Amino acid sequence: MNLSIIIPLLNEEESLIELHDWIVSVMQSNHFTYEILFIDDGSTDNSWATISALAQKNTAVKGIRFQRNFGKSQALHAGFKAVKGDVVITMDADLQDNPDEIPALYNMIHEQGYDLVSGWKKKRYDSVLFKNMPSKLFNWAARRTSGVKLHDFNCGLKAFNKNVVKTIEVSGEMHRYIPVLAKNAGFSSIGEKVVKHQARKYGKTKFGMERFINGFLDLITIWFVSKFGKRPMHLFGALGVLMFIIGFAFALYLGIDKLFIHKTGRLITDRPQFFISLTAMIIGSQLFLAGFLGEMIIRSKKNEARYTISDEINITAKEKQYSL
């Protein structure tokens, strides 16, 4: 199969038929073999009924429905585990991503050898104040922190080599940082393509300003995980040893001063250096233990995305590799 197209969605019933027909037209004109996998992330409208109707008339349509809203990362995780195309495309369901971009993205993966190609919505039709400016700041911080030179980390339109989606684990709200996850997994050939951004035709956006706050917090998380995720002892252990040495040095100074210099002076416990010493050694010990426990947890537990599926369409037993 040439292409697997993953479309996570939440309450997008108005756009699904138009999006499906557009994708099918592109697939047929380019003679692709394909599957379209809709991931219904707990919609409360008629999205699932629409997906079911599309599957009745097109056997290439598949669907996974979550019991409730678990988030875009969990939806992508489920899709990544179920698809079987050589090239995997992700796109949003709101018609702001243009299916006509798919053939060029496919060629960049299939012919040019990229592991991942991320779309760049260079010209946007969103609010400048509430979306464009925060997005530019967010992407600048992501580039500086991760070392991945992309202009638009959060673009839903991306193309992947199949090996990438079968390797990375997308959990929490880490869908914004899939290129960083891919880089950390050893997939270094990451490209970018300017894609057309379209104004929203139906409904309203499901994301508010809180996504930028969460995005920056997730950025700190992924920076830490990429730097020290497999070796927390290198950070916490080093800080712990440093703090303990500082505390011990104060304690040694106080001991020498009391025993040999100011023998008849005030008590050690009356001096502020004593409390600095005690606090530093306690904090140092705690940091060291945190690093040690982190090493033990990494060796004993695998992080998995969590979600509950209520219905499926055209998903075979062989494709049920996703975590429940």
Side-chain angles (χ1 to χ4, degrees):
M1 182 179 293
N2 300 133
L3 277 164
S4 292
I5 301 169
I6 301 174
I7 305 174
L9 62 107
L10 175 65
N11 297 332
E12 298 285 359
E13 62 173 313
E14 300 95 341
S15 63
L16 293 180
I17 294 176
E18 184 175 342
L19 177 61
H20 166 269
D21 293 345
W22 194 351
I23 292 173
V24 171
S25 175
V26 173
M27 296 298 103
Q28 291 176 346
S29 63
N30 288 272
H31 307 290
F32 288 133
T33 54
Y34 70 97
E35 62 181 352
I36 304 173
L37 177 55
F38 291 100
I39 314 291
D40 186 347
D41 188 19
S43 295
T44 56
D45 62 359
N46 292 320
S47 293
W48 185 248
T50 304
I51 294 168
S52 301
L54 291 172
Q56 290 290 325
K57 69 175 186 178
N58 183 0
T59 57
V61 172
K62 302 180 180 181
I64 295 175
R65 185 186 189 187
F66 286 176
Q67 190 73 34
R68 63 171 178 82
N69 178 238
F70 284 92
K72 189 174 182 178
S73 291
Q74 317 307 318
L76 290 174
H77 184 273
F80 287 166
K81 298 306 177 184
V83 293
K84 53 186 180 183
D86 293 333
V87 175
V88 179
I89 302 288
T90 62
M91 62 189 308
D92 294 335
D94 54 12
L95 293 174
Q96 291 191 281
D97 292 334
N98 191 331
D100 289 332
E101 303 282 357
I102 292 176
L105 291 170
Y106 173 82
N107 289 334
M108 291 182 73
I109 299 292
H110 187 256
E111 296 180 5
Q112 298 181 38
Y114 284 100
D115 295 316
L116 184 158
V117 178
S118 181
W120 173 18
K121 296 176 181 177
K122 195 171 184 178
K123 182 179 179 181
R124 301 183 65 98
Y125 293 94
D126 297 320
S127 166
V128 174
L129 180 61
F130 294 105
K131 278 199 172 182
N132 284 4
M133 292 304 295
S135 180
K136 289 181 182 296
L137 178 61
F138 164 80
N139 285 305
W140 174 83
R143 284 194 300 272
R144 296 282 296 184
T145 305
S146 68
V148 179
K149 305 302 181 183
L150 295 178
H151 292 87
D152 192 355
F153 281 81
N154 207 31
C155 179
L157 187 58
K158 291 182 173 66
F160 305 84
N161 182 292
K162 182 181 180 180
N163 294 331
V164 176
V165 303
K166 297 300 183 182
T167 301
I168 62 175
E169 294 283 340
V170 186
S171 60
E173 293 189 23
M174 291 299 178
H175 59 273
R176 303 176 182 90
Y177 303 108
I178 288 178
V180 184
L181 296 176
K183 177 191 172 186
N184 292 343
F187 298 99
S188 58
S189 182
I190 298 174
E192 187 172 49
K193 181 184 182 301
V194 175
V195 296
K196 184 178 179 181
H197 182 231
Q198 302 184 149
R200 174 177 275 274
K201 191 173 182 179
Y202 304 103
K204 59 182 181 179
T205 182
K206 310 303 186 298
F207 301 100
M209 285 298 295
E210 70 276 1
R211 74 169 179 164
F212 294 107
I213 298 173
N214 295 336
F216 282 113
L217 294 176
D218 289 337
L219 182 60
I220 295 172
T221 300
I222 203 166
W223 171 82
F224 175 82
V225 170
S226 62
K227 288 281 188 180
F228 305 103
K230 294 183 179 180
R231 44 189 175 91
M233 194 63 166
H234 288 200
L235 175 65
F236 292 110
L239 289 176
V241 169
L242 177 63
M243 292 295 293
F244 191 88
I245 289 174
I246 292 173
F248 184 78
F250 270 107
L252 185 63
Y253 160 74
L254 291 173
I256 293 174
D257 183 69
K258 182 64 177 176
L259 290 173
F260 301 106
I261 302 175
H262 301 98
K263 299 180 181 180
T264 59
R266 56 180 174 167
L267 295 174
I268 291 179
T269 53
D270 291 336
R271 303 177 65 174
Q273 293 91 334
F274 170 78
F275 296 99
I276 294 174
S277 170
L278 186 62
T279 301
M281 286 193 288
I282 292 174
I283 293 175
S285 300
Q286 290 177 330
L287 287 171
F288 186 88
L289 287 174
F292 179 77
L293 291 174
E295 294 281 348
M296 295 299 100
I297 292 171
I298 287 172
R299 284 162 173 73
S300 64
K301 187 176 180 180
K302 181 182 178 182
N303 183 34
E304 292 185 343
R306 298 291 177 179
Y307 43 84
T308 307
I309 293 170
S310 64
D311 291 293
E312 298 171 334
I313 297 174
N314 294 337
I315 303 295
T316 65
K318 188 177 180 180
E319 295 166 339
K320 293 182 180 181
Q321 304 173 41
Y322 39 81
S323 304
L324 300 177

